[in-house]
Amino acid sequence: MAESNYVKQGEADTGSAAAAAKMKRLLLIINCLILAVGNCGGPMIMRLYFLHGGKRVWLSSCLETAGWPIMLIPLAAAYLLRRRRRLSQTKFFLIEPRLFFAAAVVGVLTGFDDYLYAYGMARLPVSTSALVIATQLAFTAGFAFLLVKQRFTPFSINAVVLLTVGAGVLAMNTNGDRPAEESSKEYALGFVMTLVAALLYGFILPLVELAYKKAGQEISFTVVLEFQMVMSLFATVVCTVGMLVNRDFQAIPREASGSSLGETKYYVVLVFSAIIWQAFFLGAVGVIFVGSSLLSGILIAVLLPVTEVLAVIFYSESFHAEKGVSLGLSLWGFVSYFYGEHRENNKKKKKMKQQQLLSDSAPQMEMSQPTNQTRAAV
């Protein structure tokens, strides 16, 4: 009977582990899709604003995180579910002061990063801006190694190299991408600001992962949503201060009336910009929660060619041979990373099975021991 109960317990543990693995994969897929929407749609709609007469950089940077109140909807739903299960023994916000402070620091850094990125987007084509931002993968890999001791496999190293080289290939043909109305100085400044934005965001991603590890509390997906909301709130505060100093609020009505999109469409662009960028940040921190900061950086980089294709389709930007090569290298890097992850997961499963077999055989040996002793006595 004891052996039978132990076997049933082992089967239950195995079943719960399999269910947890399936839930983790589902969360990863959902966050990857959310990140894809934000990563591809964000730059496109921001560029749309600048192409049709928009000039306010602080306004654009503020819109990247101003959609944070959207997070209250899933948080309210999660709270109601918790309340139904535990009656009144629950709080609306689960995030604790230590993690709240970390989210606030990350949010301030994100606010300045938003400005750097928006400044570059105002002066560079989507294709050029995207290729510069892709260099954040190299920065993410370096900071992930320093901050969270990221373990690299040959496949992940190969992916980083391929995706970085893909961005470098695109850089070979940027001379013809400078808009006619931009001076060489403005174009160069936009390039530098975007590069600094890539470096800063390459630091932010591992910093988020480090915050999760040092939080001192259980990190659930609800806590991740709260972290994202706090981060976006403080980033929005930074950008709002910039807007006040730059008098952007007074300029918005004038800019709307003079926009080639029309006043109504101008405000629609602003609203959808806030929503789509919120998807980007939510997807990024969600992928870090389920996977790692390196995986988040790789997904952002691998979506670069998709943004390139969208820019060609909607904004008639050129698609030269270098962009095709970059697309191939990015897809190769993407496949390389996930093939490596698949192999690592298979190794972990084999180890778990071996440990399970050893633990299952332990009680059998203990039960057979008294029998042998009894026979010896007889």
Side-chain angles (χ1 to χ4, degrees), residues 58-63 238-250 252:
W58 276 114
L59 169 62
S60 295
S61 60
C62 186
L63 291 173
V238 170
C239 295
T240 302
V241 171
M243 288 181 66
L244 290 170
V245 173
N246 202 45
R247 298 182 181 276
D248 281 6
F249 287 105
Q250 294 91 327
I252 289 174

Side-chain angles (χ1 to χ4, degrees), residues 318-352:
S318 62
F319 190 87
H320 42 73
E322 287 84 352
K323 292 182 181 180
V325 173
S326 175
L327 175 60
L329 289 172
S330 296
L331 292 175
W332 184 7
F334 182 75
V335 171
S336 174
Y337 179 83
F338 279 98
Y339 177 71
E341 287 296 298
H342 177 69
R343 288 191 56 172
E344 288 294 313
N345 287 333
N346 284 340
K347 288 180 182 179
K348 289 179 182 178
K349 286 179 181 178
K350 287 180 181 179
K351 284 184 179 180
M352 287 178 65

Side-chain angles (χ1 to χ4, degrees), residues 114-363:
D114 289 346
Y115 175 79
L116 292 168
Y117 178 77
Y119 189 97
M121 184 60 71
R123 287 156 178 80
L124 303 178
V126 174
S127 55
T128 306
S129 176
L131 74 88
V132 178
I133 285 295
T135 60
Q136 61 85 25
L137 178 59
F139 298 125
T140 300
F143 285 121
F145 177 76
L146 294 173
L147 295 178
V148 295
K149 309 301 180 188
Q150 173 71 47
R151 189 175 63 86
F152 289 92
T153 65
F155 295 98
S156 60
I157 293 172
N158 185 50
V160 170
V161 171
L162 287 170
L163 290 165
T164 305
V165 170
V169 169
L170 283 175
M172 294 168 60
N173 192 28
T174 57
N175 291 333
D177 282 346
R178 180 165 62 86
E181 66 277 8
E182 296 287 346
S183 66
S184 297
K185 183 178 179 181
E186 289 176 328
Y187 182 85
L189 185 58
F191 193 95
V192 171
M193 296 283 268
T194 308
L195 185 61
V196 176
L199 187 152
L200 183 54
Y201 200 66
F203 173 70
I204 288 172
L205 289 177
L207 191 62
V208 172
E209 186 175 357
L210 181 65
Y212 290 165
K213 290 185 175 182
K214 302 291 185 181
Q217 71 172 103
E218 182 184 353
I219 304 296
S220 63
F221 194 66
T222 301
V223 174
V224 171
L225 292 175
E226 292 175 6
F227 186 96
Q228 161 64 16
M229 188 181 72
V230 174
M231 183 189 80
S232 295
L233 170 62
F234 277 85
T236 304
V237 169
V238 170
C239 295
T240 302
V241 171
M243 288 181 66
L244 290 170
V245 173
N246 202 45
R247 298 182 181 276
D248 281 6
F249 287 105
Q250 294 91 327
I252 289 174
R254 295 195 304 271
E255 197 172 72
S257 60
S259 174
S260 58
L261 287 169
E263 190 169 353
T264 302
K265 288 183 179 179
Y266 172 88
Y267 287 112
V268 170
V269 167
L270 297 190
V271 171
F272 273 90
S273 181
I275 294 171
I276 292 173
W277 276 116
Q278 196 62 208
F280 168 77
F281 286 106
L282 175 60
V285 298
V287 169
I288 293 172
F289 165 66
V290 183
S292 66
S293 56
L294 180 62
L295 174 58
S296 188
I298 283 176
L299 286 172
I300 292 170
V302 83
L303 289 166
L304 160 66
V306 180
T307 308
E308 293 275 347
V309 172
L310 291 174
V312 170
I313 294 172
F314 292 102
Y315 299 146
S316 301
E317 295 184 8
S318 62
F319 190 87
H320 42 73
E322 287 84 352
K323 292 182 181 180
V325 173
S326 175
L327 175 60
L329 289 172
S330 296
L331 292 175
W332 184 7
F334 182 75
V335 171
S336 174
Y337 179 83
F338 279 98
Y339 177 71
E341 287 296 298
H342 177 69
R343 288 191 56 172
E344 288 294 313
N345 287 333
N346 284 340
K347 288 180 182 179
K348 289 179 182 178
K349 286 179 181 178
K350 287 180 181 179
K351 284 184 179 180
M352 287 178 65
K353 286 181 179 179
Q354 289 174 354
Q355 291 174 355
Q356 187 66 40
L357 288 172
L358 288 172
S359 60
D360 287 346
S361 63

